[in-house]
Amino acid sequence: GELRYNMVCDELVGIIHKKPKEGGISAVGGTGSIYTYYGPKEKRFANLTKNFKTVDLPKVMPALGLEDEPIPLWWTSDFI
């Protein structure tokens, strides 16, 4: 499966765990995959969330060659 972090600027507003249906290989909508929704402070993802927000997030825009631009207003980050 995968985790999708829903972001507003640099704030995590929700987490979606997308799991393929039994025997499936894709968690894309419409394939029978199961979506579970979590709040931004879900304890089971605390380590990933902390590292993403403090270590990885500051590197996103520079990695795209957009270091002088603000982070998008509404965006997602997927962890597969």
Side-chain angles (χ1 to χ4, degrees), residues 6-19:
N6 291 314
M7 307 289 294
V8 173
C9 296
D10 62 354
E11 287 299 315
L12 177 62
V13 296
I15 302 169
I16 305 171
H17 180 224
K18 299 160 66 170
K19 183 178 176 185

Side-chain angles (χ1 to χ4, degrees), residues 10 12 19 21 27 32-33 37 39 44-45 47-49 56 79:
D10 62 354
L12 177 62
K19 183 178 176 185
K21 72 176 181 179
S33 54
Y37 298 86
R44 72 181 70 197
F45 308 123
N47 191 46
L48 176 65
T49 299
D56 301 323
F79 299 87

Side-chain angles (χ1 to χ4, degrees), residues 5-69:
Y5 276 29
N6 291 314
M7 307 289 294
V8 173
C9 296
D10 62 354
E11 287 299 315
L12 177 62
V13 296
I15 302 169
I16 305 171
H17 180 224
K18 299 160 66 170
K19 183 178 176 185
K21 72 176 181 179
E22 187 69 34
I25 60 170
S26 176
V28 174
T31 61
S33 54
I34 300 167
Y35 285 31
T36 305
Y37 298 86
Y38 299 96
K41 296 181 180 178
E42 175 59 41
K43 290 181 182 180
R44 72 181 70 197
F45 308 123
N47 191 46
L48 176 65
T49 299
K50 178 184 174 198
N51 284 324
F52 176 66
K53 289 181 73 179
T54 61
V55 177
D56 301 323
L57 188 56
K59 299 175 186 175
V60 170
M61 297 306 281
L64 297 171
L66 300 169
E67 54 276 341
D68 295 329
E69 297 294 326

